[in-house]
Amino acid sequence: MHVFLDDSAMVAAGEGSVLTSRLIHRAHTEPGWFLYVSVCALVEADRARPGTAEHIAALPGITIVDLDLPAALSVARATTWADAHTLYAAQPSPDRPDGAVIATTRPHTWKEQPVRTLDLSP
């Protein structure tokens, strides 16, 4: 299972969300679970809640996805870089043929997008 935390999920983790904490724990301890964050979403989460970037980056089991050239070109056309980078990174790729699920506390943001979501709302 491949899961991306969007910026709202990262902020929720920093605020002590039980659902987000369980997801992070699962990715750290269970084989076959992979947790990612896009660098643009990490920046946005830190803007919303200072200290979030350091907290998330220090957690074992989380892979930070850099903004490479193809992602930058895709993100450049979008209004919100955090969402655009997460959406781009969650699309099917050689590493993730089925794409990834986006974990979020604001599922309405992803409703019109071609992506599966995991609602972490309380």
Side-chain angles (χ1 to χ4, degrees):
M1 179 71 145
H2 297 273
V3 180
F4 271 85
L5 297 177
D6 74 357
D7 57 306
S8 71
M10 287 185 263
V11 169
E15 293 174 343
S17 164
V18 173
L19 293 174
T20 309
S21 294
R22 286 182 186 160
L23 182 60
I24 291 168
H25 176 75
R26 177 170 270 175
H28 177 63
T29 60
E30 291 188 29
W33 279 81
F34 303 95
L35 199 55
Y36 308 89
V37 298
S38 70
V39 74
C40 290
L42 188 65
V43 168
E44 195 60 37
D46 200 69
R47 287 180 180 165
R49 187 174 190 278
T52 299
E54 290 86 0
H55 173 76
I56 295 295
L59 293 172
I62 294 182
T63 301
I64 298 173
V65 177
D66 291 329
L67 185 65
D68 60 9
L69 180 58
L73 295 174
S74 177
V75 167
R77 293 177 284 229
T79 306
T80 306
W81 284 27
D83 291 347
H85 191 199
T86 300
L87 178 63
Y88 176 85
Q91 297 304 306
S93 68
D95 293 340
R96 295 178 297 281
D98 295 326
V101 173
I102 297 177
T104 183
T105 62
R106 46 183 177 78
H108 61 278
T109 300
W110 305 102
K111 194 171 191 171
E112 302 297 321
Q113 300 299 328
V115 68
R116 296 168 291 155
T117 59
L118 176 59
D119 188 353
L120 299 176
S121 301

